Amino acid sequence: MIARVSLEIALRKEFDYSIPADLSGQIDVGSRVQVPFGPRKILGVVTAVAEESGHANLKPILKVIGAQTLVTPKVLKLARWIGEYYCCAPETALKSVLPEAVRKEDASWRERLFVRALPVSGELPKLPKRQRDVWNVVEERREILLSELVELAETTAATVRKLEDRGLVSITNEISERDPYANETILASQPIVLNPAQAAALEKIVEAMDKRNDEVSMSNNETKASFVGSSTSSFNIHHSTFLLHGVTGSGKTEIYLQAIAHALEKGQGAIVLVPEISLTPQTVERFKARFSSGKLQTLVAVLHSHLSAGERHDEWHKIRQGRARIVIGARSAIFAPVEPLGLVIVDEEHEQTYKQEEAPRYHARDVAVMRGQMENAVVVLGSATPSLESFYNCKKGKFALLELPERVDNQKMPRTRVVDMRQTARDGKGTPIFSPQLKEAITQRLERKEQTILFLNRRGYSTSLQCPKCGHVCECPNCSISLTYHRVEQKLACHVCGHNARVPNVCPNEKCKNPAIRFAGTGTQKVEDILGKLFPHARIRRMDADVMKKKDDYRRVLGEFRHGEIDILIGTQMIAKGLHFPNVTLVGIIYADSALHQPDFRAGERTFQLLTQVAGRAGRGDIEGEVFVQAFTPFHPAIQYARRHDFVGFFEQELEFRKQLNYPPFSRVALLTLKGRNEDKVKFSAEHLKRELEKMALKDLTISGPAPAPLLRAENFYRHQIMLRTRAMSRLSLALAKITATLALPDDVTLAVDIDPVNLS
Ligand code: ADP
Ligand code: ZN
């Protein structure tokens, strides 16, 4: 027998190996194997097993990793699709479907020594005091880890071994699973009686789950998986993808929980994707409380980046072995080997973090929809501010729209006031960070012992260091962006490459050398400083990526906030998402325009989403919430529609804008970025690539550029871009694969292909 192997190096080619007799029976499609490749030993995945090969003199497979095949045929199929659609080497796609901790050979089950009491026949022999003490502990516990016993009985392993010699205890080496949640006590939760809107939504989802099962049992044929790429796909008559549009607090999560329960009843599993940032202990606990308490401890597996490699290994194998039926995780959890898969949930489906920014540049939401199609699973996308793409898919009838128009507790949406910051500017002094209105509102909250959240979409003390006299801005020497000033450390830092510099004493401009170089822009640190001066008695905490270095920091601060030990919480994106704090009655958005002025056609959409999400943090308790939005362009539609909580209004006008410019969802975009140290070579290569694209003479293709990328220089590389727009992405992906395979680029120029990009910089 021979095996075809996809190696872990991106050669876009698979190789045949012979299966040696001692490994036969252990190798199947999806097995992870080690094979010789030239002088090296390389890991790979078996993609096919056959009787014979077209090649002679095959080298043998050296070893198999893991007792089970690691890539299931279904996930393998999904990986192949990713390689084709996202235009990357199949090996790269295949690599991304297994977590590193599983892929690597070294992470494995942790084995530990367990001590167990053996039945004593007759009288207990007389023991020396120290052995007696140890025995007492073992007898009481019946089973205990050796390490724990040594600590508890203040003894040594040698003493325990003596008990083993006497036949009183056994010491065995066994797998001991690492459970990241072992120390949490999770109280079981019961399903809540749904309100009519929730019940109607759940009914649709359940109906679709039942229907799709019937289809599978009737005909086990291949699904036509073609939702992405072509708008003329033969689409299933029954909806299998839902968009659950409901404001924060409208009870979406409760629907997820009950839909999952339905999947379990049918003997199916579920995958729940949440953005990394929302994957808080709070979120995980809600799922564990419903499905993983008491005897069902392993039912929910969690996959995210804060786990140790060992924990990730164990969580993943729990899924692969079918002991965990529900997976909750960030982006890459979409590849979890849940089988059979009944339901996929993508919470906060509009979130940018679902897009992977390195090859394979997949979008987990789109992969989820595709996987649902391939495996006949129902997909539920949830959001208070759906992406234009998903909402448009509902309009076109591809997805079914489910709406939860009200909060569960019937609370009103917070009252939002937009403050025109242009009117607060004082002569010669610039603009204050806090408008009088916001200051007044904070004062009231402090008096009433209610809590405030202040939101700013930026880290650091101020964005940049700018000379008031000559206008000089300190820039990163490697990247074409301004450096951010960090006050506590007295340094300038580049948020792209991490470059660090000391703060200059005088303006670096030779002709200026002004000592009064001052700080422009506003960062969370500066807000914290000024706030401290305005409200010296308030308990203020800042929460951003600079302060929250450890995962426990995040947890701890949120805990303090929840217990009312903090009056005002200042933060970046980190605090914009899904947190529930009943005592927060005021949310202030310091500078709502910051996301608007980006060279990106989604700038308006992002601003709308951000404002809506942040505003959702206010008034989740009994008191009505209030939101202050400070802006320099207060009449921008994104701000005005967000103020009125009018998603559909925003959608309609934004759609019109996209249509005029032929941007998604009316087209699909591929962004080609060329980068290299020599700008001329990069430019030349981009021109060359453009000519190759034109030669293909594809119908329905708009080529824009080449042009310098908005971020022209990053980490000393120059970047130029070509933007492609088409309605038929699958066809374009194929064409791009052909071009990139033969394209002759200078050695030091590289090309990155990003299909459906979300970051255009
Ligand atoms: P979302 O996910 O849309 O933000 P959640 O599902 O978290 O909303 O619901 C918000 C709160 O309301 C939660 O505490 C949840 O337990 C509760 N809740 C959800 N549905 C109901 C219901 N039908 N009746 C009462 N409380 C509910
Ligand atoms: Zn830099």
Side-chain angles (χ1 to χ4, degrees):
M1 294 292 281
I2 66 108
R4 184 152 298 161
V5 181
S6 169
L7 301 179
E8 213 157 78
I9 36 182
L11 295 168
R12 294 180 186 264
K13 199 172 168 219
E14 297 182 348
F15 297 86
D16 289 353
Y17 288 88
S18 63
I19 302 177
D22 60 324
L23 293 182
S24 76
Q26 290 181 49
I27 290 177
D28 206 340
V29 172
S31 293
R32 225 169 133 62
V33 292
Q34 190 188 52
V35 295
F37 190 75
R40 293 197 285 163
K41 290 176 183 171
I42 288 185
L43 293 171
V45 172
V46 174
T47 59
V49 177
E51 296 281 336
E52 52 198 271
S53 161
H55 304 271
N57 297 329
L58 297 184
K59 289 188 192 151
I61 287 176
L62 299 174
K63 123 169 136 180
V64 188
I65 290 152
Q68 238 179 335
T69 59
L70 295 187
V71 184
T72 60
K74 284 175 179 158
V75 172
L76 185 62
K77 189 171 159 198
L78 190 65
R80 287 202 193 284
W81 174 78
I82 287 184
E84 278 166 28
Y85 181 78
Y86 290 100
C87 209
C88 70
E91 296 87 356
T92 311
L94 200 48
K95 205 169 152 180
S96 71
V97 303
L98 295 177
E100 174 138 335
V102 174
R103 234 173 47 229
K104 286 272 170 65
E105 227 192 322
D106 34 321
S108 183
W109 297 101
R110 178 181 56 180
E111 296 199 345
R112 298 208 288 188
L113 295 170
F114 284 86
V115 183
R116 283 195 188 78
L118 293 175
V120 189
S121 52
E123 194 103 325
L124 189 74
K126 198 159 166 43
L127 298 171
K129 165 131 187 12
R130 289 181 51 198
Q131 289 181 35
R132 170 107 223 152
D133 290 347
V134 175
W135 167 251
N136 286 341
V137 176
V138 181
E139 195 188 20
E140 195 194 312
R141 295 281 291 264
R142 306 312 299 175
E143 175 194 299
I144 184 170
L145 277 173
L146 178 61
S147 53
E148 203 183 328
L149 176 62
V150 166
E151 204 179 297
L152 211 66
E154 294 176 359
T155 182
T156 60
T159 310
V160 185
R161 289 281 175 200
K162 286 195 186 121
L163 287 176
E164 187 188 24
D165 294 342
R166 288 175 187 270
L168 288 172
V169 304
S170 69
I171 303 178
T172 48
N173 201 10
E174 289 166 34
I175 286 177
S176 137
E177 240 163 51
R178 288 154 286 213
D179 179 357
Y181 296 85
N183 298 327
E184 320 246 327
T185 22
I186 293 170
L187 298 176
S189 83
Q190 296 302 322
I192 299 175
V193 179
L194 300 180
N195 66 31
Q198 284 174 307
L202 180 66
E203 196 188 311
K204 289 267 166 51
I205 296 168
V206 164
E207 206 181 311
M209 289 169 77
D210 293 347
K211 217 171 238 164
R212 294 193 73 76
N213 280 343
D214 298 345
E215 277 170 22
V216 180
S217 46
M218 266 158 39
S219 62
N220 223 337
N221 60 342
E222 293 266 293
T223 333
K224 277 235 168 57
S226 49
F227 92 99
V228 191
S230 114
S231 47
T232 53
S233 59
S234 56
F235 207 79
N236 246 302
I237 337 145
H238 305 306
H239 281 296
S240 57
T241 304
F242 294 91
L243 176 63
L244 180 59
H245 176 210
V247 294
T248 14
S250 58
K252 295 187 293 296
T253 310
E254 187 57 37
I255 294 179
Y256 304 156
L257 291 166
Q258 299 197 16
I260 293 171
H262 188 70
L264 292 179
E265 275 166 26
K266 300 172 77 76
Q268 301 168 332
I271 297 177
V272 182
L273 298 186
V274 296
E276 181 83 46
I277 205 163
S278 317
L279 199 46
T280 57
Q282 231 182 338
T283 311
V284 172
E285 254 173 61
R286 276 188 82 181
F287 287 84
K288 290 215 163 205
R290 191 66 57 87
F291 301 112
S292 255
S293 58
K295 286 204 199 88
L296 301 171
Q297 289 219 338
T298 54
L299 209 48
V300 177
V302 181
L303 291 175
H304 70 86
S305 62
H306 284 324
L307 303 185
S308 70
E311 287 170 342
R312 229 174 297 173
H313 170 274
D314 292 5
E315 292 288 291
W316 192 89
H317 280 282
K318 256 190 239 170
I319 304 163
R320 179 66 184 100
Q321 293 168 358
R323 286 181 293 138
R325 311 302 315 277
I326 303 163
V327 179
I328 164 161
R331 186 171 58 218
S332 62
I334 191 55
F335 302 117
V338 176
E339 241 168 74
L341 182 64
L343 181 67
V344 183
I345 287 156
V346 184
D347 193 29
E348 312 273 1
E349 66 89 26
H350 64 279
E351 271 293 317
Q352 284 185 64
T353 53
Y354 283 126
K355 173 81 174 176
Q356 171 143 305
E357 292 295 350
E358 59 193 51
R361 294 183 167 77
Y362 66 90
H363 197 301
R365 176 201 52 217
D366 297 344
V367 175
V369 174
M370 185 45 111
R371 185 164 180 189
Q373 293 265 307
M374 286 179 167
E375 299 188 29
N376 247 297
V378 166
V379 180
V380 179
L381 313 176
S383 177
T385 51
S387 63
L388 237 65
E389 284 84 349
S390 294
F391 205 75
Y392 185 68
N393 273 332
C394 292
K395 228 179 131 154
K396 301 271 284 184
K398 287 192 175 186
F399 299 173
L401 182 64
L402 305 171
E403 292 197 278
L404 301 178
E406 315 245 306
R407 285 194 182 187
V408 166
D409 44 20
N410 268 324
Q411 255 172 32
K412 280 195 237 120
M413 294 302 285
R415 184 187 296 273
T416 302
R417 304 173 200 280
V418 178
V419 182
D420 186 348
M421 290 305 277
R422 292 171 305 185
Q423 303 195 347
T424 63
R426 298 157 300 180
D427 275 344
K429 282 195 179 159
T431 325
I433 289 181
F434 293 97
S435 60
Q437 294 93 317
L438 181 53
K439 250 192 286 189
E440 172 60 28
I442 297 175
T443 310
Q444 283 175 5
R445 293 318 181 288
L446 290 171
E447 281 166 4
R448 300 207 299 247
K449 307 237 177 306
E450 293 166 10
Q451 290 172 301
T452 299
I453 289 180
L454 295 176
F455 179 82
L456 188 71
N457 192 16
R458 242 185 233 160
R459 283 193 284 147
Y461 188 74
S462 49
T463 353
S464 52
L465 196 59
Q466 186 174 34
C467 175
K469 205 162 145 197
C470 74
H472 176 91
V473 173
C474 292
E475 286 202 342
C476 174
N478 314 318
C479 312
S480 55
I481 61 162
S482 53
L483 293 169
T484 302
Y485 175 55
H486 290 255
R487 199 180 71 112
V488 176
E489 302 90 343
Q490 275 296 312
K491 67 171 196 202
L492 295 168
C494 172
H495 284 186
V496 173
C497 74
H499 170 85
N500 269 294
R502 280 206 2 254
V503 174
N505 297 324
V506 298
C507 175
N509 178 357
E510 284 298 318
K511 292 195 199 99
C512 175
K513 293 200 169 163
N514 178 8
I517 184 157
R518 74 146 191 211
F519 312 121
T522 312
T524 39
Q525 255 184 56
K526 188 165 177 182
V527 171
E528 185 183 20
D529 259 30
I530 292 182
L531 202 61
K533 292 197 184 103
L534 290 174
F535 304 102
H537 302 298
R539 294 163 302 173
I540 300 168
R541 284 301 288 273
R542 172 158 66 95
M543 196 156 179
D544 59 25
D546 288 335
V547 188
M548 302 290 128
K549 294 266 155 61
K550 292 190 293 263
K551 66 168 168 174
D552 284 349
D553 292 346
Y554 182 77
R555 232 193 237 221
R556 204 192 54 242
V557 173
L558 290 184
E560 288 172 18
F561 195 55
R562 178 159 304 111
H563 294 126
E565 291 156 28
I566 297 170
D567 301 313
I568 306 173
L569 187 64
I570 307 168
T572 53
Q573 275 96 319
M574 232 180 221
I575 59 171
K577 307 287 151 59
L579 304 168
H580 305 232
F581 299 108
N583 200 32
V584 173
T585 60
L586 174 66
V587 168
I589 296 157
I590 304 293
Y591 181 34
D593 316 54
S594 64
L596 270 181
H597 310 303
Q598 308 282 336
D600 187 326
F601 66 87
R602 289 196 182 91
E605 183 181 4
R606 297 222 173 103
T607 302
F608 177 85
Q609 287 167 349
L610 201 66
L611 295 185
T612 309
Q613 297 276 339
V614 177
R617 304 298 109 228
R620 300 202 61 157
D622 303 327
I623 317 156
E624 195 186 338
E626 204 175 19
V627 179
F628 280 84
V629 178
Q630 303 192 139
F632 289 89
T633 43
F635 298 107
H636 190 285
I639 293 178
Q640 284 301 323
Y641 282 112
R643 180 178 75 80
R644 297 201 294 268
H645 312 290
D646 182 1
F647 173 80
V648 176
F650 175 75
F651 172 81
E652 294 293 344
Q653 82 93 37
E654 181 72 11
L655 204 63
E656 194 47 44
F657 155 74
R658 302 278 180 93
K659 189 173 188 174
Q660 276 165 20
L661 298 171
N662 190 28
Y663 276 127
F666 295 96
S667 65
R668 284 177 177 273
V669 171
L671 192 65
L672 313 181
T673 305
L674 289 129
K675 67 176 200 179
R677 289 181 193 276
N678 180 320
E679 191 175 9
D680 287 337
K681 277 196 203 169
V682 173
K683 265 189 189 160
F684 176 82
S685 308
E687 295 290 351
H688 173 60
L689 175 57
K690 180 177 181 173
R691 281 192 299 275
E692 293 296 309
L693 286 161
E694 284 168 345
K695 268 193 231 156
M696 310 266 318
L698 285 179
K699 270 195 302 194
D700 173 39
L701 178 68
T702 313
I703 307 177
S704 320
L711 185 62
L712 172 61
R713 257 172 96 210
E715 300 177 51
N716 264 327
F717 285 94
Y718 287 90
R719 307 162 73 250
H720 283 244
Q721 292 176 335
I722 297 174
M723 188 192 266
L724 306 176
R725 275 172 286 176
T726 180
R727 267 170 232 276
M729 185 52 86
S730 302
R731 198 173 58 197
L732 178 59
S733 294
L734 277 178
L736 284 172
K738 260 188 218 144
I739 290 186
T740 50
T742 54
L743 188 73
L745 289 176
D747 279 348
D748 47 355
V749 175
T750 55
L751 168 66
V753 178
D754 191 352
I755 308 289
D756 302 333
V758 300
N759 179 358
L760 302 183
S761 63

